[in-house]
């Protein structure tokens, strides 16, 4: 059974950067679509970024506006989210998730499209 573990969260001042990692164990995610979502208390999980199984396609939430970059390292079975120019409104718990791609480069932005999730990592951006 696959397990996803996020890391890299923390407390940073506004304008700072963080790199989140999501490492999978128990299964290769080479053929899976992977995504990042975030959630704050009382709100629904929000799409942040996703990357296709081949890494040829990526998509980002509208609020990202060039600040974040998603990437994956197949050899390490790990996905990354580089977050720059962080804002206090980026404060949230960030989750990684995956779903089968069936070798399509389609990108999925709805949380319900994903099959498995990590436990999340807290990102806090101070004013």
């Amino acid at each position: 059974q696959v397990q996803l573990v996020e890391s890299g969260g923390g407390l940073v001042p506004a304008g700072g950067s963080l790199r989140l990692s999501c490492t999978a164990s128990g299964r290769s995610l080479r053929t899976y679509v992977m995504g990042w979502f975030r959630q704050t208390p009382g709100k629904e999980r929000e799409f942040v970024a996703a990357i296709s199984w081949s890494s040829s396609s990526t998509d980002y939430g509208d609020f990202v506006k060039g600040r974040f970059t998603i990437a994956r390292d197949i050899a390490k079975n790990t996905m990354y989210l580089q977050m720059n120019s962080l804002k206090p409104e980026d404060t949230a718990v960030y989750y990684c998730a995956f779903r089968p791609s069936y070798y399509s480069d389609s990108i999925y932005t709805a949380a319900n499209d994903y099959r498995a999730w990590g436990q999340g990592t807290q990102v806090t951006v101070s004013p």
Side-chain angles (χ1 to χ4, degrees), residues 86-117:
L86 283 163
K87 306 174 182 180
E89 50 264 43
D90 293 318
T91 295
V93 178
Y94 284 70
Y95 298 90
C96 65
F98 76 91
R99 60 153 287 144
S101 71
Y102 305 110
Y103 298 101
S104 165
D105 279 319
S106 297
I107 293 291
Y108 300 87
T109 62
N112 289 341
D113 286 327
Y114 288 81
R115 180 171 298 180
W117 296 81

Side-chain angles (χ1 to χ4, degrees), residues 19-46:
R19 188 177 80 155
L20 305 184
S21 299
C22 172
T23 300
S25 61
R27 179 187 299 175
S28 169
L29 295 182
R30 184 178 64 85
T31 62
Y32 287 77
V33 183
M34 298 194 72
W36 287 99
F37 289 76
R38 69 185 188 182
Q39 191 169 25
T40 54
K43 294 189 176 181
E44 293 186 355
R45 206 158 284 192
E46 179 181 32

Side-chain angles (χ1 to χ4, degrees), residues 6-19:
E6 301 97 335
S7 61
L11 172 64
V12 294
S17 298
L18 283 174
R19 188 177 80 155

Side-chain angles (χ1 to χ4, degrees), residues 44-119:
E44 293 186 355
R45 206 158 284 192
E46 179 181 32
F47 172 71
V48 177
I51 186 167
S52 66
W53 76 278
S54 68
S55 298
S56 63
S57 299
T58 59
D59 196 9
Y60 297 90
D62 291 341
F63 64 88
V64 171
K65 295 182 179 178
R67 300 182 297 128
F68 298 176
T69 302
I70 189 172
R72 62 194 300 171
D73 185 328
I74 299 302
K76 295 182 179 180
N77 220 23
T78 298
M79 175 180 63
Y80 304 98
L81 184 69
Q82 177 66 43
M83 303 189 296
N84 300 326
S85 302
L86 283 163
K87 306 174 182 180
E89 50 264 43
D90 293 318
T91 295
V93 178
Y94 284 70
Y95 298 90
C96 65
F98 76 91
R99 60 153 287 144
S101 71
Y102 305 110
Y103 298 101
S104 165
D105 279 319
S106 297
I107 293 291
Y108 300 87
T109 62
N112 289 341
D113 286 327
Y114 288 81
R115 180 171 298 180
W117 296 81
Q119 292 188 334

